[in-house]
């Protein structure tokens, strides 16, 4: 497997003097399957065989990761990701031309690193003459001057000050979120090292955030390996697993679902399908189409706004905004800052409720500020949710500008009643409700663009009273 940015073939005709650090004098390293490495462990060259035979998918990952600096590898259970990770680090450490290269494999805890990875590193690295394995420190010192350390993420501050040329972070979903940005990323900066995040999904956490960042980014390797696609586990084993696991557990552990472990998720499957189909991506504003806004209004609570454009049969969701404890003037300013060409502004029925203090409805206040709201038809919540589920297959979401709104939709769920062993009819009212309610109004009130079939208003509205004082 050739390494991008590193020589896959190099040869020194003169053996190094004894006083110098031993150097690899490899004639050809094309893969890790029975890889032969001619090394100057002594004046006489020796052949080394690394006892590692990668599966085809593992080999593809080695090759793909060689061409990238950053990578995210999402794998089902028993894929062999730890074996892949250890051997990828070992190969890179052997072939590195840097002085005193340093590499790390990180697990959520130090104990996990020892139980899971150390038993793999010992036989693979132990095939190299002159290697030193430090059991108490979980460290491998190579005769070429390289070093591989196994680390735990439970105490990130203890790792500050190290430098790294490469790092594999295994089961990132179980690690503290500050480990990579505050410790590992600075450690990679001085020598421009690489990093790859591997693991199995566990909801929308830091690992999911990294996966979203990598998805569609040409600078990142982003791979998802599902059990139904890899063939690592046969159908008999997968069928047996389904019989002893819940559907959500199976989808999470074997099918790499990000939403499966959110009990009662309402839009989880639809959004996961949109992600897989590439419809959560970069969706720019199109000046040739007007932008409609869809509101869930709150005063002491949050106000959420979705921005959409109808483009043919597809609907582009190009923006999202949410704020708390702000009045309508604030949101008018936000709309002006966006500089979109607006079509309709849509709000729920409660916008017409008059306030006791002023005697005006919020619709009238908005009119004074230059916003003419259209009232969305009032439907039962369940009907609105169903409309949203039916609409999502037509939607294209902008990944960056709609990130907060998408996260709310993914987490929007019904509570589970342990006593009745069923989900409640009403969704949980929490931080996800405002964005989800605005989305529901969008699904209920959205109308196809096209020729107007009837007058938008049957009777003129006139508030002027000639007899008023």
């Amino acid at each position: 497997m050739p390494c991008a940015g590193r020589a896959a073939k190099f040869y020194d005709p003169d053996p190094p003097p004894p006083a110098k650090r031993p150097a690899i004098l490899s004639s050809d390293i094309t893969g890790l399957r029975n890889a032969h490495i001619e090394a100057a462990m002594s004046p006489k060259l020796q052949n080394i065989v690394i006892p590692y035979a990668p599966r085809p998918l593992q080999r593809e990952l080695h090759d793909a990761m060689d061409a990238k600096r950053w990578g995210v590898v999402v794998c089902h259970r028993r894929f062999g990701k730890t074996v892949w990770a250890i051997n990828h680090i070992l190969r890179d450490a052997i072939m590195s031309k840097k002085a005193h290269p340093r590499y790390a494999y990180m697990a959520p805890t130090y104990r996990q690193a020892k139980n899971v990875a150390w038993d793999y590193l010992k036989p693979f690295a132990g095939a190299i003459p002159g290697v030193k394995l430090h059991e108490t420190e979980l460290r491998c010192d190579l005769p070429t001057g390289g070093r591989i350390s196994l680390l735990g993420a439970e105490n990130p501050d203890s790792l500050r000050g190290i430098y790294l040329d490469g790092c594999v972070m295994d089961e990132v979903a179980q690690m503290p979120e500050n480990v990579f940005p505050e410790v590992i990323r600075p450690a990679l900066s001085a020598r421009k090292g690489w990093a790859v995040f591997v693991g199995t999904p566990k909801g929308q956490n830091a690992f999911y955030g990294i996966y979203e960042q990598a998805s569609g980014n040409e600078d990142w390797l982003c791979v998802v390996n599902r059990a139904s696609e890899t063939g690592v586990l046969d159908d008999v084993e997968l069928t047996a697993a389904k019989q002893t696991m819940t559907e959500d557990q199976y989808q999470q552990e074997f099918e790499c679902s990000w939403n499966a472990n959110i009990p009662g998720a309402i839009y989880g499957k639809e959004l996961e399908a949109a992600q897989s189909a590439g419809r959560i991506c970069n969706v720019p504003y199109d000046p040739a189409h007007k932008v409609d806004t869809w509101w869930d209004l709150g005063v002491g609570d949050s106000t959420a706004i979705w921005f959409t454009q109808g483009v043919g049969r597809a609907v582009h969701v190009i923006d999202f905004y949410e704020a708390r404890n702000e009045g309508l003037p604030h949101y008018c300013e936000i709309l002006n800052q966006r500089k979109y060409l607006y079509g309709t502004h849509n709000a729920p029925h409660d916008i017409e409720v008059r306030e006791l203090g002023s005697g005006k409805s919020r619709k009238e206040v908005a009119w004074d500020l230059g916003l003419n709201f259209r009232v969305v038809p009032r439907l039962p919540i369940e009907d609105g949710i169903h409309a949203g589920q039916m609409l999502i297959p037509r939607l294209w979401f902008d990944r960056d500008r709609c990130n907060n709104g998408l996260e709310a939709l993914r987490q929007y769920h019904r509570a589970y009643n342990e006593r009745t062993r069923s989900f409640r009819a009403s969704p949980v009212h929490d931080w996800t409700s405002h964005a989800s309610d605005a989305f529901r109004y969008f699904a209920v009130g959205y109308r196809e663009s096209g020729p107007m079939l009837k007058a938008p208003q049957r009777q003129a509205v006139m508030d002027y009273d000639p007899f008023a004082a």
Side-chain angles (χ1 to χ4, degrees):
M1 287 171 290
C3 288
R6 298 182 287 276
K9 295 184 180 182
F10 47 96
Y11 178 73
D12 186 353
D14 299 319
K20 290 186 178 181
R21 174 178 64 85
I24 295 177
L25 307 179
S26 173
S27 59
D28 187 11
I29 302 176
T30 59
L32 290 177
R33 182 180 177 89
N34 297 330
H36 290 269
I37 305 174
E38 296 179 325
M41 308 303 174
S42 65
K44 182 179 179 180
L45 295 180
Q46 301 179 10
N47 288 331
I48 301 169
V49 178
I50 299 176
Y52 170 50
R55 301 188 187 104
L57 287 176
Q58 289 174 318
R59 184 182 294 277
E60 290 178 12
L61 283 179
H62 286 299
D63 293 339
M65 191 59 212
D66 284 339
K68 303 288 184 180
R69 185 182 180 188
W70 312 108
V72 174
V73 180
V74 185
C75 301
H76 65 80
R77 297 297 178 191
R78 311 317 308 161
F79 173 81
K81 57 183 174 56
T82 304
V83 173
W84 174 86
I86 288 297
N87 281 280
H88 195 79
I89 292 173
L90 181 60
R91 192 279 303 268
D92 207 64
I94 293 172
M95 296 181 65
S96 176
K97 291 184 176 181
K98 298 178 181 178
H100 307 294
R102 296 291 182 264
Y103 295 83
Y105 167 92
M106 175 175 281
T109 66
Y110 190 73
R111 185 179 182 86
Q112 281 179 277
K114 182 175 183 179
N115 293 341
V116 176
W118 185 243
D119 287 341
Y120 291 133
L121 181 59
K122 285 193 293 184
F124 293 132
I128 303 174
V131 72
K132 294 181 180 179
L133 298 171
H134 303 269
E135 188 86 25
T136 57
E137 300 181 18
L138 301 187
R139 196 183 81 215
C140 167
D141 290 340
L142 299 171
T144 59
R147 176 178 295 173
I148 301 172
S149 301
L150 305 190
L151 308 174
E154 69 269 45
N155 186 11
D157 290 336
S158 66
L159 306 176
R160 294 178 182 273
I162 65 174
Y163 73 88
L164 294 172
D165 296 294
C167 180
V168 172
M169 300 182 69
D170 197 357
E171 298 296 353
V172 189
Q174 302 176 35
M175 296 183 185
E177 294 188 11
N178 66 327
V179 173
F180 179 72
E182 295 183 11
V183 179
I184 300 301
R185 183 61 181 88
L188 296 167
S189 294
R191 292 154 68 108
K192 296 184 178 180
W194 55 265
V196 58
F197 306 86
V198 299
T200 304
K202 199 174 182 181
Q204 282 85 27
N205 48 28
F207 188 29
Y208 179 75
I210 297 171
Y211 167 76
E212 275 208 319
Q213 179 182 351
S215 180
N217 191 328
E218 295 182 356
D219 296 330
W220 284 68
L221 170 69
C222 186
V223 178
V224 179
N225 292 297
R226 300 179 176 88
S228 60
E229 301 170 349
T230 62
V232 174
L233 301 175
D234 57 36
D235 292 339
V236 175
E237 178 60 25
L238 294 179
T239 301
K242 289 180 180 179
Q243 294 173 352
T244 57
M245 304 171 70
T246 66
E247 179 64 20
D248 283 346
Q249 289 170 339
Y250 179 83
Q251 289 295 324
Q252 175 181 289
E253 302 299 329
F254 289 102
E255 294 303 311
C256 301
S257 172
W258 297 100
N259 301 296
N261 74 327
I262 305 174
I266 292 173
Y267 299 117
K269 293 180 180 179
E270 290 79 10
L271 290 174
E272 188 170 5
Q275 180 79 51
S276 300
R279 288 186 286 107
I280 300 179
C281 53
N282 179 32
V283 183
Y285 164 60
D286 186 350
H289 296 84
K290 292 184 178 180
V291 175
D292 299 324
T293 63
W294 308 87
W295 299 56
D296 177 57
L297 294 165
V299 180
D301 231 344
S302 292
T303 291
I305 311 172
W306 290 95
F307 299 76
T308 68
Q309 288 184 295
V311 182
R313 282 283 297 165
V315 184
H316 293 180
V317 186
I318 62 170
D319 208 342
F320 173 81
Y321 182 79
E322 183 173 353
R324 182 185 295 271
N325 298 328
E326 298 287 353
L328 281 172
H330 168 78
Y331 300 103
C332 291
E333 180 63 27
I334 293 298
L335 264 59
N336 291 333
Q337 291 175 3
R338 295 299 200 263
K339 296 183 179 180
Y340 297 143
L341 176 63
Y342 291 103
T344 62
H345 301 288
N346 305 268
H349 65 279
D350 56 6
I351 195 175
E352 296 183 312
V353 176
R354 295 184 178 275
E355 298 178 358
L356 293 176
S358 63
K360 284 187 174 182
S361 68
R362 281 184 286 182
K363 183 178 180 181
E364 293 171 330
V365 174
W367 175 268
D368 292 339
L369 294 171
L371 283 180
N372 183 17
F373 276 107
R374 182 176 75 92
V375 179
V376 175
R378 184 176 184 178
L379 289 180
I381 292 178
E382 194 61 35
D383 291 347
I385 288 174
H386 179 69
Q389 292 170 334
M390 297 295 290
L391 182 62
I392 288 178
R394 296 174 52 192
L395 303 182
W396 292 72
F397 293 91
D398 186 87
R399 180 180 56 246
D400 297 327
R401 292 193 297 270
C402 297
N403 182 61
N404 294 334
L406 284 169
E407 186 66 15
L409 293 181
R410 292 188 183 100
Q411 301 283 346
Y412 191 48
H413 68 286
R414 295 183 175 91
Y416 184 74
N417 190 325
E418 294 284 353
R419 184 177 60 84
T420 62
R421 301 181 68 179
S422 63
F423 291 100
R424 301 182 186 277
S426 300
V428 174
H429 184 77
D430 57 12
W431 67 272
T432 68
S433 299
H434 312 292
S436 301
D437 286 345
F439 183 80
R440 178 162 50 86
Y441 301 139
F442 163 41
V444 170
Y446 180 74
R447 298 182 297 192
E448 298 286 348
S449 59
M452 190 173 295
L453 300 180
K454 62 179 181 179
Q457 187 171 291
R458 294 179 181 272
Q459 184 176 357
V461 176
M462 185 181 69
D463 295 329
Y464 177 71
D465 184 359
F467 301 103

